[in-house]
Amino acid sequence: QPEIIGCYPSTILLLAHEQMAGRLNIHPLYIGCSAEKLMEQDRAFISKAFSCPVNDNYCSTEGGEVAMLCSHGHLHVNSDWIIAEPVDCDGKPVPDGTPSEGVLMTNLANLVQPVIRYYMSDSITMHSEPCACGLPLPYIEINGRMEDTLEFSHDGRTVQVAGTTLFLSAIDTDGCETAQIIQRSPADVEIRVLTFPGFDREAVKNEIRQKTRRFMDGSGLPYVNVTMSEELPVRTQGGKMRLAYKDF
């Protein structure tokens, strides 16, 4: 019976469906979401399912707490310690109200390791017009940075799986440094693994495959084909790695 829950929106949304179906019975006082885009309709559904406030924030390792949700549903930038500059594909500024290709993040609060104009591949839209909540800080819409919820389907039945669940299961395996989950079709998932030095890569991959197979079977997904790739996890140009996503 947690009093406070902090989690990915995709994960708490799955739990909200379980709560509404009567298979889960928890009563948190507050839920805070982060790391993925939280759709307004999802926020309302989660709040209804758990009968508590659901807040949202936009944060990053480099920028810290970049923006927080106000009572009118706007993510206001903490512009007294964060500078967020929306840019196009050439790194040039985009005007307010225009979706960006990326954002340059400067963290004014980090005095130990300053981060200045660090490029992140998040698409945001900046707004400077007044907000009815009264906060004078600009606010942003988050268009990107959304880890995909994987959807497996067979014979007209669809099952949703939080990609982070498979990722966390993989990295909880001895010898696994990191992993990347890629859904290739409604019934196929590929797992890429990077192992620590000194570990048998094939043995680590085999253990992860067996754990994933057990998870799929236990989730009513015996038809999903699990493939352990020979390729290593791939990072974006900015150095980040998508933990789980669909590619088909």
Side-chain angles (χ1 to χ4, degrees):
Q1 287 297 331
E3 293 185 355
I4 297 176
I5 299 177
C7 57
Y8 291 101
S10 59
T11 300
I12 194 63
L13 183 60
L14 293 176
L15 294 180
H17 282 287
E18 294 298 297
Q19 180 89 350
M20 294 293 276
R23 293 185 292 267
L24 183 67
N25 184 27
I26 58 175
H27 306 283
L29 302 177
Y30 171 87
I31 295 172
C33 293
S34 183
E36 298 171 349
K37 183 175 181 178
L38 176 63
M39 305 296 290
E40 180 55 34
Q41 63 267 28
D42 291 341
R43 186 168 74 94
F45 177 77
I46 295 166
S47 180
K48 178 182 179 181
F50 295 106
S51 300
C52 74
V54 178
N55 203 351
D56 190 22
N57 65 9
Y58 172 54
C59 61
S60 69
T61 303
E62 300 79 17
E65 297 290 340
V66 178
M68 297 290 290
L69 196 69
C70 75
S71 57
H72 286 259
H74 291 149
L75 283 165
H76 287 270
V77 180
N78 297 321
S79 53
D80 55 342
W81 68 341
I82 297 293
I83 300 175
E85 304 173 75
V87 294
D88 62 18
C89 58
D90 295 320
K92 297 180 180 178
V94 299
D96 287 358
T98 303
S100 72
E101 291 289 332
V103 57
L104 301 179
M105 195 69 65
T106 299
N107 185 345
L108 302 175
N110 189 345
L111 304 182
V112 177
Q113 186 179 15
V115 175
I116 301 173
R117 306 195 85 198
Y118 179 85
Y119 179 79
M120 297 169 55
S121 58
D122 300 356
S123 173
I124 68 170
T125 303
M126 184 73 73
H127 294 273
S128 297
E129 59 266 30
C131 177
C133 76
L135 281 174
L137 306 175
Y139 60 90
I140 56 177
E141 295 176 56
I142 310 299
N143 310 311
R145 202 179 183 225
M146 183 166 53
E147 292 290 318
D148 287 345
T149 296
L150 309 182
E151 293 185 342
F152 299 100
S153 57
H154 181 69
D155 290 340
R157 175 174 174 265
T158 299
V159 176
Q160 292 184 325
V161 174
T164 49
T165 301
L166 300 180
F167 168 78
L168 292 172
S169 175
I171 64 171
D172 194 39
T173 304
D174 285 345
C176 179
E177 180 175 348
T178 192
Q180 190 170 49
I181 315 298
I182 307 171
Q183 184 181 358
R184 294 299 189 185
S185 82
D188 290 276
V189 65
E190 173 188 327
I191 303 178
R192 297 177 176 179
V193 176
L194 178 65
T195 55
F196 285 109
F199 283 84
D200 185 328
R201 175 173 164 78
E202 291 305 314
V204 173
K205 287 168 56 179
N206 186 56
E207 184 176 348
I208 292 173
R209 187 193 66 79
Q210 292 181 20
K211 291 171 65 176
T212 307
R213 180 75 273 152
R214 288 194 297 269
F215 174 85
M216 292 297 182
D217 292 345
S219 300
L221 299 167
Y223 58 85
V224 174
N225 180 48
V226 179
T227 301
M228 301 304 299
S229 176
E230 293 300 320
E231 298 184 40
L232 298 177
V234 176
R235 296 183 180 274
T236 65
Q237 189 176 21
K240 289 184 174 293
M241 187 183 74
R242 298 184 68 184
L243 306 183
Y245 63 95
K246 290 179 283 192
D247 185 20
F248 66 93

